[in-house]
Amino acid sequence: MKRRFGIFILCFLFTIPFIVLVASQSNSYPYDYEQLSENERLVIRFSHVVGEDTPKGMAARKFAELVKERSNGYIEVQVFSNGTLYKDGEEMNALSRGDIQLIAPAISKLTDFVPEISVFDLPYAFHSLDEVHEFAESEAGHQLTEKLKEHNLYALGLWDSGFKQLSNRVRPIHHYNDLANLSMRIMPSDILAEQFSTLGAIPKEYDFNAVYHELQKGSFDGQENTLTNITSKNFYTLQDYLTISNHGYLGYYILFNLEFWNSLDEDVKQLLTETLIEVQQWEWELTEKLNNETLQKIENCQCIELHYLSDEDIKVWEEKFEPVYDYYSKNYGNQFIKALPKFKSNT
Ligand code: LMR
């Protein structure tokens, strides 16, 4: 009897670790999340308007892959590119409604909500992407993203598309006077409108996904964009002249619906934040590489007349754009202008 009781105790002691293990596992997620429905996984719908092979398109996919891998499939970032789910103007409403949880709009498209953010749109505000990153990470940069929170938007990071160039179908742009009377497509931002009006051009606002068809229809003469956007959407096939002016920055805030972000567990927030920081660094390097490669391809194809502004030209253009800075200061104050690296380094 004693012996049987001893065996029973031994068996019981051996089983304890398994009971503890099973009990602890029943509180954590099963290993294979593919088996779970959307309601059981954490699904983050990420909508954007550009092509797959642009810096934003590639970074969105990389972010989704890494997040899935690092959460063992529990967090699924579903990426919808090319405006297939929501276009400009629709994606912000969809984010506020909670139909999607993540977007990466061009900063210019946020200027209706936070007009001060159009400091990013000022022509020649930045001389390099490093200056953009320095500004975004400065106190002034953080103040701008804090303002987005008042609109239920949480900026987790900033991705580049690069510097914008000018294309058109009428004449080569060597001097800013060559832009006079040309109608130019812009993103919705009064600073961008002011930038072209200052040069006597006619700014016209259109959604990104409408640009190709509107160019075909001849609704406007030209447009400004980064090289990867110009080629991935074939704008250059409908334009005759391209000037490498690097006159303005185009970049994106990676925006969560703030309420959704606040509802996430701390470990999920940490995983998303750490992964985004890593992907952001990767995206910044990729942008430089892709824009350089794209320029090389355009040079080689000889399919559009190319012109480069020299450093001297750029100084002259920069002076010509001073009224745009005055317009900004008059309407939104000069706090953020003063914080731009190009002015800070002079003080
Ligand atoms: C544009 O509208 O030209 C850009 O914002 C598109 C994009 O997201 O890069």
Side-chain angles (χ1 to χ4, degrees):
M1 179 68 188
K2 251 189 181 171
R3 199 159 160 255
R4 262 207 239 147
F5 183 70
I7 290 171
F8 173 76
I9 292 288
L10 255 172
C11 290
F12 180 69
L13 286 176
F14 267 116
T15 348
I16 285 176
F18 295 108
I19 295 171
V20 171
L21 190 72
V22 169
S24 71
Q25 279 191 344
S26 67
N27 280 338
S28 64
Y29 297 101
Y31 180 71
D32 183 3
Y33 293 98
E34 302 285 351
Q35 308 299 323
L36 297 179
S37 74
E38 272 203 7
N39 295 338
E40 293 163 303
R41 273 176 287 143
L42 176 64
V43 174
I44 297 174
R45 291 195 172 80
F46 182 178
S47 171
H48 69 80
V49 298
V50 296
E52 294 280 351
D53 291 333
T54 57
K56 178 161 64 176
M58 290 169 77
R61 289 207 311 279
K62 188 169 183 79
F63 180 63
E65 269 162 36
L66 289 179
V67 164
K68 185 172 181 182
E69 191 182 298
R70 289 172 186 181
S71 67
N72 290 326
Y74 169 59
I75 310 173
E76 187 186 352
V77 179
Q78 298 176 348
V79 182
F80 301 91
S81 61
N82 284 305
T84 44
L85 197 57
Y86 296 107
K87 307 208 181 325
D88 283 339
E90 297 172 348
E91 58 179 21
M92 194 64 80
N93 291 337
L95 188 77
S96 1
R97 284 197 306 269
D99 292 350
I100 47 178
Q101 292 70 38
L102 187 56
I103 59 175
I107 295 176
S108 317
K109 293 172 187 168
L110 297 166
T111 56
D112 263 359
F113 299 90
V114 179
E116 294 89 337
I117 231 163
S118 58
V119 67
F120 279 97
D121 284 336
L122 287 166
Y124 294 112
F126 306 99
H127 295 138
S128 66
L129 292 176
D130 284 345
E131 279 194 6
V132 175
H133 305 152
E134 180 189 330
F135 178 72
E137 282 160 12
S138 69
E139 202 188 320
H142 287 137
Q143 283 167 357
L144 288 172
T145 49
E146 277 302 304
K147 285 179 184 290
L148 287 169
K149 287 190 179 156
E150 292 160 23
H151 302 272
N152 196 27
L153 299 167
Y154 177 69
L156 191 60
L158 173 132
W159 291 350
D160 296 327
S161 180
F163 286 104
K164 288 177 287 185
Q165 321 299 350
L166 295 163
S167 75
N168 85 96
R169 60 175 180 169
V170 178
R171 63 179 88 95
I173 308 295
H174 292 184
H175 190 272
Y176 52 72
N177 284 339
D178 297 324
L179 275 154
N181 299 320
L182 295 189
S183 49
M184 301 293 288
R185 179 266 170 173
I186 55 163
M187 296 181 274
S189 153
D190 60 349
I191 291 300
L192 296 182
E194 207 55 30
Q195 162 195 274
F196 282 121
S197 306
T198 297
L199 306 183
I202 305 134
K204 288 191 164 188
E205 245 181 69
Y206 282 94
D207 275 12
F208 180 66
N209 298 103
V211 173
Y212 184 84
H213 291 297
E214 297 297 335
L215 276 174
Q216 258 181 337
K217 280 176 14 197
S219 307
F220 44 89
D221 299 315
Q223 58 89 49
E224 54 165 10
N225 225 311
T226 56
L227 290 176
T228 50
N229 277 346
I230 290 174
T231 54
S232 65
K233 291 291 173 199
N234 284 327
F235 301 159
Y236 72 117
T237 61
L238 302 172
Q239 301 270 270
D240 299 306
Y241 307 99
L242 179 65
T243 296
I244 304 300
S245 52
N246 291 313
H247 64 279
Y249 171 71
L250 200 164
Y252 316 105
Y253 276 131
I254 314 307
L255 292 179
F256 274 94
N257 173 310
L258 179 62
E259 263 171 57
F260 171 79
W261 177 260
N262 287 338
S263 73
L264 297 174
D265 290 343
E266 285 311 312
D267 54 345
V268 169
K269 283 184 188 165
Q270 191 181 342
L271 188 150
L272 292 171
T273 306
E274 285 172 3
T275 308
L276 201 280
I277 290 171
E278 191 182 318
V279 173
Q280 175 171 286
Q281 188 58 44
W282 179 86
E283 200 270 354
W284 290 352
E285 286 159 27
L286 178 75
T287 297
E288 299 243 33
K289 179 172 164 283
L290 287 185
N291 277 321
N292 289 339
E293 283 173 10
T294 308
L295 182 57
Q296 199 61 54
K297 274 188 207 147
I298 294 176
E299 275 181 358
N300 294 344
C301 81
Q302 301 196 343
C303 45
I304 188 163
E305 192 179 308
L306 250 184
H307 177 72
Y308 289 84
L309 292 190
S310 67
D311 290 348
E312 285 68 41
D313 295 332
I314 288 177
K315 279 198 196 112
V316 180
W317 285 56
E318 226 176 320
E319 278 169 28
K320 179 71 183 170
F321 282 128
E322 275 168 16
V324 188
Y325 285 68
D326 296 341
Y327 172 95
Y328 180 99
S329 302
K330 197 167 133 248
N331 288 286
Y332 316 124
N334 63 1
Q335 175 197 355
F336 294 106
I337 289 190
K338 277 197 323 208
L340 289 172
K342 72 169 179 176
F343 292 128
K344 272 180 69 189
S345 50
N346 291 337
T347 53

